[in-house]
Amino acid sequence: MKLIERYSNGETVSVWEEIEMMEVDAFKPEIYSEVEKVLDETFNRVRYNLEVIHEELLKIGYNFNNDESCNSLRPLNKPLKNADKLLHKLDKMVKPFGYVPVTLKKFYQIVGSCNFGWDYENDENFMWHYSDPIQIGSLDDLVEEMKENDWVEMMKENAADGEPVYLELAADFYHKDNVSGGMAYSIEMTKQPSIDSLFLFEEHETTFVNYLRICFENCGFSRITNPENKNIYEVFFETVKPKLKPI
């Protein structure tokens, strides 16, 4: 069967493993047309899952941040109308170091952005402590921050020292709970064109797509089931998890 047929029939993990093993061969025209179908289906499911979780969190009174000052603060945003133009800018900024993985581009083209973080400035009584709610910053804010914070110079130093070049996408789970923490979760830029890449500084040490998969396995909160958190989440899971689509 074709990749998209296998993916649609439930082989989501194995299909993605196969795509990752292809490396640059995935970009051959006769292969990429099929890979792109899987990409599109994957990120349509990501968007669907985020919408389901967002709706259910609203029902239970979850304290979202609805600050209108920038897109990255709002819980859920559709793709920006100028996403393709901004992605072109992003490609140019990253070009001296390598490539933006296709998965991140598809996220911005199909999903948009999300921030399921608790608004601790409005209410310090977290529903689930250190649960690590999913957060992927908006494309416009990412590009602007890269320009303002001398991203190129910082990444030149990283490249010279043999360290990864990356784009920061989300606060770590400590910062999300208003506690001083570590590095922002980031996606690694690759030296060759790549479908996906590593999601850095996050405890699972995995790829971007698999990080999203972990988030959805945990209903949008990658650490919510960690025993040290002592969270009561079972009722929420019972409602949400059956509605989510596997990626």
Side-chain angles (χ1 to χ4, degrees):
M1 288 189 291
K2 294 182 179 179
L3 289 174
I4 186 60
E5 292 173 351
R6 289 171 49 205
Y7 186 88
S8 299
N9 286 337
E11 296 181 48
T12 53
V13 175
S14 60
V15 165
W16 267 103
E17 288 175 346
E18 188 171 325
I19 290 171
E20 289 166 13
M21 289 176 64
M22 293 177 189
E23 298 182 339
V24 293
D25 285 345
F27 291 93
K28 292 180 178 179
E30 66 275 17
I31 298 175
Y32 186 72
S33 61
E34 188 68 17
V35 169
E36 188 170 34
K37 292 176 184 177
V38 175
L39 279 158
D40 289 346
E41 177 62 20
T42 297
F43 285 96
N44 275 307
R45 292 186 181 195
V46 169
R47 182 178 62 185
Y48 170 83
N49 287 349
L50 288 171
E51 289 172 350
V52 168
I53 296 168
H54 179 242
E55 182 179 349
E56 294 301 330
L57 287 172
L58 286 173
K59 289 178 182 177
I60 62 173
Y62 189 86
N63 183 36
F64 285 112
N65 191 325
N66 289 293
D67 190 332
E68 296 291 324
S69 62
C70 73
N71 287 325
S72 293
L73 292 175
R74 293 197 290 270
L76 203 55
N77 292 292
K78 293 181 179 179
L80 300 173
K81 292 181 179 179
N82 62 339
D84 289 340
K85 183 178 179 179
L86 288 170
L87 286 171
H88 180 68
K89 286 185 179 180
L90 189 62
D91 278 333
K92 290 179 67 175
M93 296 175 79
V94 168
K95 190 174 182 180
F97 310 102
Y99 299 85
V100 178
V102 179
T103 50
L104 183 62
K105 293 182 177 182
K106 287 292 185 180
F107 186 94
Y108 284 130
Q109 290 171 325
I110 296 174
V111 181
S113 65
C114 64
N115 178 13
F116 287 4
W118 184 267
D119 184 4
Y120 51 77
E121 293 187 359
N122 181 50
D123 183 357
E124 295 181 354
N125 298 308
F126 288 86
M127 185 171 287
W128 300 303
H129 281 285
Y130 301 121
S131 57
D132 205 9
I134 188 169
Q135 178 189 78
I136 303 295
S138 183
L139 177 57
D140 55 345
D141 294 328
L142 171 63
V143 171
E144 191 61 32
E145 186 174 338
M146 290 169 67
K147 290 191 295 184
E148 291 180 355
N149 291 338
D150 299 321
W151 179 86
V152 171
E153 295 304 315
M154 290 189 290
M155 291 303 114
K156 280 182 180 178
E157 293 182 13
N158 273 27
D161 294 338
E163 297 294 325
V165 175
Y166 54 82
L167 302 174
E168 295 184 348
L169 299 181
D172 76 333
F173 71 88
Y174 286 111
H175 280 109
K176 289 171 183 172
D177 275 35
N178 197 28
V179 177
S180 180
M183 298 282 287
Y185 298 160
S186 308
I187 193 167
E188 184 175 13
M189 300 300 94
T190 56
K191 294 181 180 178
Q192 298 184 89
S194 65
I195 299 298
D196 199 14
S197 69
L198 294 176
F199 198 58
L200 303 173
F201 316 124
E202 194 274 336
E203 63 185 350
H204 294 95
E205 298 182 351
T206 190
T207 61
F208 181 51
V209 164
N210 199 47
Y211 168 73
L212 295 174
R213 184 178 293 123
I214 291 167
C215 286
F216 294 135
E217 286 173 354
N218 292 281
C219 298
F221 299 80
S222 69
R223 301 185 83 253
I224 197 169
T225 59
N226 193 320
E228 70 186 47
N229 297 337
K230 298 179 181 178
N231 296 316
I232 301 172
Y233 55 82
E234 287 84 358
V235 174
F236 176 68
F237 267 43
E238 287 173 4
T239 303
V240 176
K241 202 160 189 177
K243 298 180 180 180
L244 301 182
K245 296 181 179 180
I247 67 165

